[in-house]
Each structure stands twice: as C-alpha cells, then as structure tokens.
C-alpha cells in the first residue's frame, strides 16, 4: 500500500491549533511508512500574524481545506468532511464518493507531477530526528526545524498539542 498525504505546512495554515493536532502525529505517520507533504505558502516569506498562535482564524498565503483522495485507483472522495467526531456529529460538512478510475488516475498523476515541487516533505533521519526537504530550483534545501517557524512558534505549537482538545479539532 502506498499512502501519500498533502496537508498544510505551518506557514500555510490559518489555525495553529489544528496544525498542532496534526504535528503531534507526524512522526507516527512517517514511521508507519506514510509519505507526508506540507503545502508551501503561495507567497514566499509571507508573514504569519501572531494571533494565529493561539488558534484564532485568519488568512494565510495558501491553505488547503477540501479533502480529495483516490482509493484503489478506482474511487475518489471529494468534500470538506473531516474524518473525526466533530465533523460526524456537529458539522454540516459533506463529501462525495465517485466511482471513476479515470478521475482517480488523474488525481494520482497530478499529485505525482505537482505536489513534490510545491510542498515540504517531512522525513525521519537514521537517528529518528525530523527534518524537512524544501524543493528548489535544481537543488533541495534541508531544514532541521519546521520551516518558517521561530522557536516561540514551535513552542506554542508543542504546548497546544498537549491540550486535551483533540475532540474539537
């Protein structure tokens, strides 16, 4: 099974507390063999507002919301529904399951062609430390800390990830 996920990077999210909920799962996903990609901001060097550190909404330079994926090269899901208790019980978000090998192939081909050039790729070193590969013009840049973050932002995300609020994310 080959599982690849594109999600927002810290720079491309508009709600830091949601990023904290993902970030604490990042290592487990990588250890399970999932290839992760984190969307680069559309505007390089875009400044994040400090208010977003506590989870308030705002605008980012780029952000993903719709969930789109293909399964078994035959089915496609497109929607805004989150696969969590809040979406299942409280939200009115929804999604469509479409039986279409042609559409599933198109999604896979687009992912193959475009995602690696527009996203950081978190990885684990042989020592088990997280690092990020940023695509560049002919060369890749390695980041040993989460790209586009300061010490204080990383600390805030870490502290937010410890809060018992996952049911709200």
């Amino acid at each position: 099974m080959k599982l690849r996920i594109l999600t927002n990077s810290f720079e491309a999210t508009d709600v830091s507390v949601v990023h904290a909920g993902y970030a604490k799962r990042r290592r487990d996903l990588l250890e399970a063999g999932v290839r992760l990609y984190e969307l680069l901001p559309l505007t390089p060097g875009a400044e994040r507002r400090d208010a977003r550190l506590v989870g308030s909404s705002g605008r980012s330079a780029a952000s993903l919301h719709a969930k789109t994926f293909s399964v078994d090269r035959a089915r496609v899901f497109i929607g805004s529904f989150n696969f969590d208790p809040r979406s299942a019980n409280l939200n009115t978000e929804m999604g469509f399951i479409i039986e279409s090998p042609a559409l599933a192939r198109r999604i896979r081909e687009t992912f193959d062609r475009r995602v690696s050039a527009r996203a950081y790729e978190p990885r684990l070193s042989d020592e088990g430390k997280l690092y990020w590969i940023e695509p560049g013009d002919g060369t890749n840049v390695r980041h040993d800390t989460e790209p586009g973050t300061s010490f204080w932002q990383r600390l805030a995300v870490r502290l937010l990830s410890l809060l018992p609020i996952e049911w709200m994310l």
Side-chain angles (χ1 to χ4, degrees):
M1 175 174 81
K2 180 175 168 181
L3 183 59
R4 299 177 297 172
I5 297 173
L6 172 64
T7 190
N8 289 318
S9 67
F10 180 80
E11 294 171 293
T13 191
D14 57 357
V15 184
S16 296
V17 71
V18 173
H19 182 76
Y22 152 72
K24 73 180 183 181
R25 303 269 189 255
R26 191 187 283 136
R27 178 179 303 281
D28 291 338
L29 290 166
L30 291 169
E31 288 173 349
V34 175
R35 287 194 67 182
L36 297 176
Y37 297 89
E38 297 177 359
L39 184 67
L40 289 161
L42 291 179
T43 308
E47 292 294 319
R48 291 174 46 86
R49 294 187 338 192
D50 289 339
R52 283 186 261 160
L53 286 176
V54 293
S56 63
S57 293
R59 293 215 176 263
S60 64
S63 184
L64 297 171
H65 184 77
K67 285 68 175 177
T68 305
F69 57 86
S70 64
V71 178
D72 296 335
R73 300 180 184 217
R75 288 175 219 75
V76 173
F77 174 89
I78 300 172
S80 60
F81 185 82
N82 295 298
F83 294 89
D84 61 22
R86 189 183 72 165
S87 285
N89 298 321
L90 300 175
N91 286 348
T92 57
E93 298 185 67
M94 58 182 243
F96 295 94
I97 297 174
I98 305 165
E99 296 279 341
S100 174
L103 185 55
R105 182 182 68 251
R106 190 87 189 266
I107 289 170
R108 186 183 73 251
E109 290 170 353
T110 300
F111 197 103
D112 291 344
R113 263 193 338 272
R114 300 179 78 186
V115 167
S116 64
R118 296 181 178 162
Y120 300 112
E121 185 178 353
R123 296 181 182 173
L124 289 175
S125 71
D126 292 338
E127 298 80 31
K129 297 198 184 256
L130 273 170
Y131 68 96
W132 288 256
I133 297 297
E134 177 181 359
D137 295 329
T139 61
N140 291 329
V141 177
R142 178 181 165 141
H143 299 272
D144 290 322
T145 58
E146 190 160 358
T149 63
S150 69
F151 168 81
W152 296 109
Q153 289 168 321
R154 290 189 301 276
L155 179 63
V157 167
R158 177 74 178 123
L159 292 174
L160 287 169
S161 74
L162 299 174
L163 297 175
I165 57 173
E166 198 152 311
W167 65 274
M168 295 174 25
L169 303 178

